Amino acid sequence: MKFIRKIINAIDFSYFFTFLSEATLGVTFLLYIFIARVVGPGQYGIFSAAASLGGILAFFTQFGFSALINREVANNPKEGAKNTYLYLFIESLNSLFILLLLLPLSIVLGFQDKGILICFCLTISEICRGAKQTVRGVYRGNSQYKSETILLASERIILGIIASLVLVISKDLFFVTAAFAGVRIIDLLVVIFILSRQFTLFSAINSQTVWNAVKKAYPFALTGILWVVYYQIDLLMLNTLSTSEQVGFYSASYRIFEIFLTLPRIIFLVSFTKLARHNFNDKPKLSTELFNSVILLILFVLPFIIAAGLLSVPLVNTIYGSSFYAAIPSLIILLPSLGIKMFGTLIQYFFEATNREKILPPLLLTTVIFNISANAILIPLWGALGAALATLISEFIFTIFGSTMLIRIKFHRIGFTILYIALLCLLVSLIPSLIFYKVNIYLCLASFVICVLLIAVITRKYKKSSIKPRTL
């Protein structure tokens, strides 16, 4: 019995609760499917466009404070939590400005009559969701993943139930989106109240503290803006340079791709807090924590990427039907991009957790420029497949440059280790794509075995060398 308790105590349940937290996105996914089936494609198009607009605008209101407070609380739980009301106050000011701009902006974007009201409801809903992410940063910074999961799951479940009931009763999209806004306003107030019973959330709020907070947060905000451009530009350019069918095929493949993006995010969210804490208390452990995250990505994400690549045909046919068969070529290119992207994103989280977030904007700007250029060249040639190839190339560039920056800031061994493993994982992830395009199966299997063996050798070599006094 004592042996079992020791094993349980040794297990890090942070990843499990973060997984549960991410898994509750399935409730939102099902709700959106239900809305689409009830209101039809025309109304659902309005809902989707308004939700996208609200999400983008809410990002500007949040201004990177969720990541900043996560790091501050991880460094110093008591003092970091005191900035909560300050950051929420700034987000409130940003929200007022955004809501003032929303009416003319929604009209310019083609929303009319009730569509404008839907825009307001969903934007308010997304603003509240963004503010809650800031509050959740306090829980993550304190490693209270269980509490965060409970609060997040309860919000999504309650929202799903109430919005579904309103939809069934009214069949009116405005009332559904009003339910979105109402539930999230109440949820935000309840979560803030619960948090205030656990931590001191107040610090001085004046022009000087506001300005200092904005200065600290702007690198996070700028990084986020560049990510928004990076993730939206392919669809916009595809819509301009290709046909609407190609946009549909790429969107379908990207929705499946996003499902697998959840897996590495579980590791990143937990690692961020650990890295921030080590950076404040025990810097020599930073490389060890990075290496641990690399191992988790190899063991728990890479196999799913490979399996998804091999099963890409039944995945598309099951979810979207045979009419979307043309989405498969772009999917089997997007999935291998995750094989290298996950290491680039890990490096991004490392820079943010260790007060090096100013490295990211020029790095991301370079990636965005490459991405736009690649899309401009490849989309006219191959449509959705060209957009997927541009994504793969961009993720490759971001990871290579990120690893190089990691090496330049004196993390030589772990930087080179991540670089080599990322390249090998990309090659392993590409094996299903090569099989799909009828490359010799024996050559594919031999390449797979060689890459896996090299990954094992590199990880073992790093682990053995880490026993030595050198830490970086």
Side-chain angles (χ1 to χ4, degrees), residues 173-201:
L173 201 53
F174 166 69
F175 291 113
V176 174
T177 56
F180 269 69
V183 169
R184 282 185 166 152
I185 289 172
I186 295 171
D187 174 72
L188 176 62
L189 295 174
V190 169
V191 170
I192 291 173
F193 174 75
I194 293 172
L195 189 67
S196 67
R197 300 293 297 270
Q198 299 175 265
F199 303 96
T200 301
L201 307 181

Side-chain angles (χ1 to χ4, degrees), residues 357-466:
E357 61 274 7
K358 291 183 180 179
I359 293 174
L360 288 170
L363 182 61
L364 279 168
L365 181 60
T366 303
T367 307
V368 168
I369 291 171
F370 271 103
N371 184 248
I372 293 172
S373 302
N375 274 304
I377 296 169
L378 297 174
I379 286 175
L381 295 175
W382 297 307
L385 177 60
L389 285 168
T391 298
L392 175 60
I393 294 168
S394 302
E395 299 294 1
F396 175 84
I397 290 169
F398 179 75
T399 304
I400 296 298
F401 285 178
S403 301
T404 303
M405 294 303 300
L406 194 60
I407 294 165
R408 287 181 62 182
I409 60 173
K410 309 304 181 184
F411 285 82
H412 297 103
R413 288 192 300 125
I414 189 62
F416 279 114
T417 300
I418 290 176
L419 176 60
Y420 298 148
I421 289 176
L423 293 174
L424 289 168
C425 285
L426 173 62
L427 293 175
V428 170
S429 303
L430 280 169
I431 299 299
S433 305
L434 298 177
I435 293 173
F436 178 81
Y437 284 108
K438 310 299 182 185
V439 175
N440 184 280
I441 187 67
Y442 297 107
L443 178 61
C444 291
L445 290 175
S447 302
F448 177 83
V449 171
I450 291 170
C451 289
V452 169
L453 288 174
L454 286 173
I455 291 171
V457 169
I458 292 171
T459 54
R460 181 176 175 81
K461 182 179 178 182
Y462 181 87
K463 197 168 184 179
K464 288 179 68 176
S465 65
S466 66

Side-chain angles (χ1 to χ4, degrees), residues 12-217:
D12 187 351
F13 285 98
S14 303
Y15 297 100
F16 172 72
F17 288 118
T18 305
F19 167 75
L20 290 180
S21 176
E22 292 296 314
T24 57
L25 281 169
V27 177
T28 306
F29 181 68
L30 292 173
L31 174 61
Y32 279 33
I33 292 175
F34 184 51
I35 292 172
R37 288 180 175 274
V38 172
V39 303
Q43 287 292 300
Y44 185 70
I46 295 172
F47 174 83
S48 299
S52 298
L53 176 61
I56 293 170
L57 294 177
F59 173 80
F60 285 96
T61 66
Q62 194 182 29
F63 205 73
F65 285 122
S66 62
L68 177 59
I69 199 166
N70 187 351
R71 188 180 73 188
E72 290 181 337
V73 173
N75 291 343
N76 191 329
K78 288 186 178 180
E79 293 302 316
K82 289 180 181 179
N83 290 324
T84 305
Y85 284 157
L86 172 63
Y87 295 164
L88 290 176
F89 173 74
I90 298 172
E91 289 183 37
S92 300
L93 296 180
N94 294 340
S95 301
L96 290 174
F97 179 71
I98 290 298
L99 290 174
L100 288 174
L101 290 178
L102 183 57
L103 178 59
L105 183 60
S106 59
I107 293 173
V108 168
L109 292 174
F111 291 96
Q112 298 176 350
D113 304 326
K114 193 175 285 187
I116 296 174
L117 297 177
I118 291 171
C119 275
F120 270 92
C121 289
L122 288 178
T123 300
I124 292 170
S125 170
E126 290 297 320
I127 287 171
C128 292
R129 190 174 73 88
K132 185 175 178 178
Q133 286 179 341
T134 301
V135 176
R136 286 168 55 196
V138 180
Y139 283 109
R140 284 199 299 269
N142 280 283
S143 298
Q144 294 184 3
Y145 297 101
K146 182 179 179 180
S147 299
E148 183 198 9
T149 299
I150 292 171
L151 292 172
L152 189 60
S154 60
E155 173 218 326
R156 287 171 174 165
I157 292 170
I158 292 170
L159 176 61
I161 293 172
I162 292 178
S164 298
L165 288 173
V166 171
L167 180 62
V168 169
I169 294 169
S170 70
K171 301 290 193 301
D172 191 310
L173 201 53
F174 166 69
F175 291 113
V176 174
T177 56
F180 269 69
V183 169
R184 282 185 166 152
I185 289 172
I186 295 171
D187 174 72
L188 176 62
L189 295 174
V190 169
V191 170
I192 291 173
F193 174 75
I194 293 172
L195 189 67
S196 67
R197 300 293 297 270
Q198 299 175 265
F199 303 96
T200 301
L201 307 181
F202 181 78
S203 62
I205 299 177
N206 53 54
S207 59
Q208 187 60 45
T209 57
V210 168
W211 177 243
N212 289 337
V214 169
K215 286 196 295 183
K216 285 191 294 183

